[in-house]
Amino acid sequence: MDDPVLRVQSQLTGRDRVLLGWLYDHGVLTSFQIAQALFPSLDFCQRRLRTLYGLRLVARFRPQRADGGSYPYHYLIDQLGAEVVAAGRDERPPRRDHARIQRRRWTSSRTLAHRLGVNGFFTQLAGYARTHPDAELSEWWPEAVCQRAGTFTRPDDPGLVRGYQPRVRPDGYGLWAENGVTVPFFVEYDTGGEQLSVLVGKLAGYRELFATIGRAWPVLFWLHSAARERNLRRLLADTPQRIPVATGVRDQAVSAGLCPAEAVWLLPGGGGQRWRLADLAAYVVGDQDHPGEAA
């Protein structure tokens, strides 16, 4: 019997496989995000996406703007693409309705803008790494992986530690490498819809995680306005966290033509100086290596 997974694998490039894995893990990416992260030009990206769409590896939709017109194509994993990813990872095949469920989830989700924002943070890092040979986004894990027991532990950790299930619900975890240093980090992507006290309250889960595993990594708050950042920093100053926290402002970064890898991060008590993501390696407690393997 002809196996469609085997038939299509010979037509895939390494870049295709990275993209399919991202869509499988992180849900949805726009054509602009994919181009920035993986391709030398938008035109080249769109041509390749049309090929992958024709092979039924990816699906797509195009939301309409309230004021007329439409957004760029949004891409999701299609069923065959999900099966290719699972086979490449030596995992059990996904459910037959996996792609349909994911498509329904993201085309109707009220959290689509937030998800695209989180994914945009990481694709900006990937795009920076693509054009800077000394930089690499080594890991990018979604919220679901971060919540699995043992995700951030090592084989030589005690059994109770390895069985610990984190209570934190970060928007993503990443491992950034640049100029010979590595920085594990968590991202909290803020849309301005939550009270600042809620953001500060999230740090309790990180304190518990770091105390359990005996290591600590920066928690990055990616905020939508300078006023929001000022107010959050005021709250952080009033309630010392004893864990590394940094804040950055999306509008300012965009206006300055900067991405999260560059000098956009403020540290509590650090004055007004902005630091690069790689500079935050100085605030990693414990080792800077890969924290563990996704369960």
Side-chain angles (χ1 to χ4, degrees):
M1 178 181 293
D2 185 25
D3 185 333
V5 172
L6 293 177
R7 186 175 67 248
V8 79
Q9 282 181 333
S10 63
Q11 302 179 58
L12 297 178
T13 66
R15 177 166 49 198
D16 295 335
R17 294 179 185 278
V18 169
L19 172 58
L20 294 177
W22 284 355
L23 293 175
Y24 188 82
D25 291 334
H26 305 289
V28 57
L29 293 166
T30 70
S31 54
F32 290 153
Q33 290 173 336
I34 296 168
Q36 179 182 36
L38 295 172
F39 289 84
S41 73
L42 179 60
D43 183 61
F44 184 10
C45 173
Q46 290 172 330
R47 291 200 304 270
R48 189 58 187 167
L49 287 172
R50 284 194 293 269
T51 298
L52 297 178
Y53 177 72
L55 292 170
R56 306 195 70 174
L57 292 163
V58 299
R60 66 186 185 186
F61 66 100
R62 198 168 193 174
Q64 298 300 305
R65 294 180 183 273
D67 56 353
S70 59
Y71 290 97
Y73 275 119
H74 292 44
Y75 283 86
L76 314 98
I77 199 76
D78 210 341
Q79 189 64 31
L80 180 57
E83 292 171 5
V84 167
V85 172
R89 296 176 178 179
D90 198 23
E91 297 176 352
R92 294 178 60 182
R95 291 174 43 169
R96 292 184 179 181
D97 58 353
H98 175 88
R100 180 177 60 82
I101 291 172
Q102 291 300 307
R103 185 161 55 247
R104 179 181 299 170
R105 175 186 181 189
W106 293 116
T107 54
S108 61
S109 175
R110 294 181 180 179
T111 62
L112 176 60
H114 180 265
R115 173 51 47 192
L116 288 173
V118 173
N119 291 352
F121 179 96
F122 285 95
T123 53
Q124 285 182 62
L125 288 177
Y128 181 92
R130 181 176 58 81
T131 57
H132 294 76
D134 58 349
E136 180 184 13
L137 179 61
S138 304
E139 295 287 355
W140 171 16
W141 293 350
E143 174 188 323
V145 171
C146 295
Q147 292 185 283
R148 294 176 187 168
T151 294
F152 298 107
T153 62
R154 296 188 180 284
D156 57 350
D157 284 332
L160 287 177
V161 174
R162 286 186 282 110
Y164 169 72
Q165 184 167 3
R167 291 194 303 115
V168 294
R169 298 185 61 183
D171 292 318
Y173 162 85
L175 184 66
W176 179 248
E178 187 173 10
N179 294 323
V181 299
T182 58
V183 187
F185 63 89
F186 292 102
V187 174
E188 292 287 344
Y189 183 92
D190 173 57
T191 61
E194 292 181 313
Q195 294 290 329
L196 289 174
S197 58
V198 174
L199 299 187
V200 175
K202 292 180 179 182
L203 295 175
Y206 290 105
R207 286 196 298 271
E208 180 183 291
L209 169 65
F210 296 151
T212 300
I213 65 176
R215 295 180 287 277
W217 311 304
V219 178
L220 309 180
F221 285 97
W222 196 223
L223 305 159
H224 81 287
S225 72
R228 183 86 163 164
E229 182 185 47
R230 284 193 300 271
N231 293 331
L232 177 60
R233 288 173 61 78
R234 196 172 297 122
L235 278 180
L236 292 172
D238 292 340
T239 54
Q241 300 303 319
R242 301 185 303 279
I243 61 175
V245 175
T247 62
V249 181
R250 295 192 296 277
D251 333 8
Q252 290 181 344
V254 170
S255 298
L258 300 175
C259 81
E262 298 175 279
V264 298
W265 300 106
L266 280 179
L267 293 159
Q273 181 176 357
R274 299 270 175 184
W275 299 87
R276 296 177 62 85
L277 180 54
D279 296 332
L280 302 186
Y283 296 88
V284 172
V285 179
D287 58 54
Q288 294 176 300
D289 296 332
H290 189 297
E293 294 292 343

PDB file of all heavy atoms in Angstrom, residues 77 102-103 121 127 130 159-160 164 189 211 289:
ATOM      1  N   ILE A  77      -0.901  23.385  10.624  1.00  0.00           N
ATOM      2  CA  ILE A  77      -0.525  22.049  10.162  1.00  0.00           C
ATOM      3  C   ILE A  77      -1.747  21.364   9.559  1.00  0.00           C
ATOM      4  O   ILE A  77      -2.859  21.494  10.083  1.00  0.00           O
ATOM      5  CB  ILE A  77       0.044  21.220  11.342  1.00  0.00           C
ATOM      6  CG1 ILE A  77       0.865  20.028  10.828  1.00  0.00           C
ATOM      7  CG2 ILE A  77      -1.038  20.775  12.296  1.00  0.00           C
ATOM      8  CD1 ILE A  77       2.214  20.402  10.313  1.00  0.00           C
ATOM      9  N   GLN A 102      -7.401  21.415  15.243  1.00  0.00           N
ATOM     10  CA  GLN A 102      -6.524  22.582  15.341  1.00  0.00           C
ATOM     11  C   GLN A 102      -7.027  23.732  14.475  1.00  0.00           C
ATOM     12  O   GLN A 102      -6.973  24.901  14.883  1.00  0.00           O
ATOM     13  CB  GLN A 102      -5.103  22.203  14.920  1.00  0.00           C
ATOM     14  CG  GLN A 102      -4.407  21.272  15.889  1.00  0.00           C
ATOM     15  CD  GLN A 102      -4.283  21.875  17.274  1.00  0.00           C
ATOM     16  OE1 GLN A 102      -3.785  22.987  17.443  1.00  0.00           O
ATOM     17  NE2 GLN A 102      -4.763  21.150  18.280  1.00  0.00           N
ATOM     18  N   ARG A 103      -7.510  23.404  13.290  1.00  0.00           N
ATOM     19  CA  ARG A 103      -8.030  24.451  12.391  1.00  0.00           C
ATOM     20  C   ARG A 103      -9.235  25.142  13.020  1.00  0.00           C
ATOM     21  O   ARG A 103      -9.339  26.369  13.006  1.00  0.00           O
ATOM     22  CB  ARG A 103      -8.395  23.822  11.046  1.00  0.00           C
ATOM     23  CG  ARG A 103      -8.839  24.823   9.997  1.00  0.00           C
ATOM     24  CD  ARG A 103      -8.737  24.215   8.605  1.00  0.00           C
ATOM     25  NE  ARG A 103      -9.463  22.967   8.492  1.00  0.00           N
ATOM     26  CZ  ARG A 103      -8.897  21.770   8.300  1.00  0.00           C
ATOM     27  NH1 ARG A 103      -7.590  21.659   8.220  1.00  0.00           N
ATOM     28  NH2 ARG A 103      -9.640  20.682   8.188  1.00  0.00           N
ATOM     29  N   PHE A 121       7.240  36.713  18.728  1.00  0.00           N
ATOM     30  CA  PHE A 121       8.427  36.928  19.564  1.00  0.00           C
ATOM     31  C   PHE A 121       9.525  35.936  19.177  1.00  0.00           C
ATOM     32  O   PHE A 121      10.681  36.309  18.963  1.00  0.00           O
ATOM     33  CB  PHE A 121       8.037  36.750  21.033  1.00  0.00           C
ATOM     34  CG  PHE A 121       9.178  36.913  22.004  1.00  0.00           C
ATOM     35  CD1 PHE A 121       9.389  38.131  22.627  1.00  0.00           C
ATOM     36  CD2 PHE A 121      10.019  35.853  22.307  1.00  0.00           C
ATOM     37  CE1 PHE A 121      10.448  38.293  23.528  1.00  0.00           C
ATOM     38  CE2 PHE A 121      11.072  36.002  23.203  1.00  0.00           C
ATOM     39  CZ  PHE A 121      11.285  37.223  23.816  1.00  0.00           C
ATOM     40  N   GLY A 127      14.553  34.752  13.119  1.00  0.00           N
ATOM     41  CA  GLY A 127      14.962  35.563  11.985  1.00  0.00           C
ATOM     42  C   GLY A 127      16.289  36.257  12.228  1.00  0.00           C
ATOM     43  O   GLY A 127      17.130  36.363  11.327  1.00  0.00           O
ATOM     44  N   ARG A 130      18.945  33.714  11.858  1.00  0.00           N
ATOM     45  CA  ARG A 130      19.150  33.318  10.456  1.00  0.00           C
ATOM     46  C   ARG A 130      20.181  34.212   9.768  1.00  0.00           C
ATOM     47  O   ARG A 130      20.902  33.764   8.874  1.00  0.00           O
ATOM     48  CB  ARG A 130      17.813  33.383   9.707  1.00  0.00           C
ATOM     49  CG  ARG A 130      17.876  32.982   8.245  1.00  0.00           C
ATOM     50  CD  ARG A 130      16.495  32.972   7.613  1.00  0.00           C
ATOM     51  NE  ARG A 130      15.829  34.258   7.708  1.00  0.00           N
ATOM     52  CZ  ARG A 130      16.064  35.283   6.886  1.00  0.00           C
ATOM     53  NH1 ARG A 130      16.972  35.170   5.924  1.00  0.00           N
ATOM     54  NH2 ARG A 130      15.398  36.413   7.024  1.00  0.00           N
ATOM     55  N   GLY A 159      14.405  11.807  42.495  1.00  0.00           N
ATOM     56  CA  GLY A 159      13.132  11.366  41.921  1.00  0.00           C
ATOM     57  C   GLY A 159      11.995  12.328  42.190  1.00  0.00           C
ATOM     58  O   GLY A 159      11.158  12.577  41.314  1.00  0.00           O
ATOM     59  N   LEU A 160      11.932  12.897  43.394  1.00  0.00           N
ATOM     60  CA  LEU A 160      10.858  13.834  43.716  1.00  0.00           C
ATOM     61  C   LEU A 160      10.936  15.091  42.856  1.00  0.00           C
ATOM     62  O   LEU A 160       9.911  15.659  42.477  1.00  0.00           O
ATOM     63  CB  LEU A 160      10.907  14.205  45.207  1.00  0.00           C
ATOM     64  CG  LEU A 160      10.445  13.129  46.188  1.00  0.00           C
ATOM     65  CD1 LEU A 160      10.613  13.610  47.626  1.00  0.00           C
ATOM     66  CD2 LEU A 160       8.987  12.758  45.922  1.00  0.00           C
ATOM     67  N   TYR A 164       8.235  16.468  39.697  1.00  0.00           N
ATOM     68  CA  TYR A 164       7.545  17.728  39.965  1.00  0.00           C
ATOM     69  C   TYR A 164       6.888  18.263  38.693  1.00  0.00           C
ATOM     70  O   TYR A 164       7.519  18.335  37.638  1.00  0.00           O
ATOM     71  CB  TYR A 164       8.542  18.750  40.511  1.00  0.00           C
ATOM     72  CG  TYR A 164       8.012  20.160  40.591  1.00  0.00           C
ATOM     73  CD1 TYR A 164       7.073  20.523  41.549  1.00  0.00           C
ATOM     74  CD2 TYR A 164       8.449  21.122  39.687  1.00  0.00           C
ATOM     75  CE1 TYR A 164       6.595  21.819  41.625  1.00  0.00           C
ATOM     76  CE2 TYR A 164       7.967  22.423  39.749  1.00  0.00           C
ATOM     77  CZ  TYR A 164       7.048  22.763  40.721  1.00  0.00           C
ATOM     78  OH  TYR A 164       6.570  24.048  40.778  1.00  0.00           O
ATOM     79  N   TYR A 189       3.932  37.124  27.461  1.00  0.00           N
ATOM     80  CA  TYR A 189       3.541  38.091  26.431  1.00  0.00           C
ATOM     81  C   TYR A 189       2.291  38.823  26.905  1.00  0.00           C
ATOM     82  O   TYR A 189       1.235  38.213  27.095  1.00  0.00           O
ATOM     83  CB  TYR A 189       3.272  37.367  25.110  1.00  0.00           C
ATOM     84  CG  TYR A 189       2.921  38.281  23.962  1.00  0.00           C
ATOM     85  CD1 TYR A 189       3.915  38.764  23.115  1.00  0.00           C
ATOM     86  CD2 TYR A 189       1.606  38.644  23.714  1.00  0.00           C
ATOM     87  CE1 TYR A 189       3.605  39.603  22.058  1.00  0.00           C
ATOM     88  CE2 TYR A 189       1.294  39.486  22.657  1.00  0.00           C
ATOM     89  CZ  TYR A 189       2.290  39.954  21.827  1.00  0.00           C
ATOM     90  OH  TYR A 189       1.972  40.784  20.779  1.00  0.00           O
ATOM     91  N   ALA A 211      12.956  27.111  42.959  1.00  0.00           N
ATOM     92  CA  ALA A 211      13.359  26.559  44.250  1.00  0.00           C
ATOM     93  C   ALA A 211      13.404  25.034  44.198  1.00  0.00           C
ATOM     94  O   ALA A 211      14.264  24.405  44.822  1.00  0.00           O
ATOM     95  CB  ALA A 211      12.393  27.019  45.335  1.00  0.00           C
ATOM     96  N   ASP A 289      23.118  25.449  30.727  1.00  0.00           N
ATOM     97  CA  ASP A 289      22.889  24.447  29.691  1.00  0.00           C
ATOM     98  C   ASP A 289      21.403  24.186  29.509  1.00  0.00           C
ATOM     99  O   ASP A 289      20.567  24.651  30.262  1.00  0.00           O
ATOM    100  CB  ASP A 289      23.590  23.133  30.065  1.00  0.00           C
ATOM    101  CG  ASP A 289      25.098  23.309  30.111  1.00  0.00           C
ATOM    102  OD1 ASP A 289      25.594  24.185  29.395  1.00  0.00           O
ATOM    103  OD2 ASP A 289      25.748  22.579  30.889  1.00  0.00           O
TER     104      ASP A 289
END
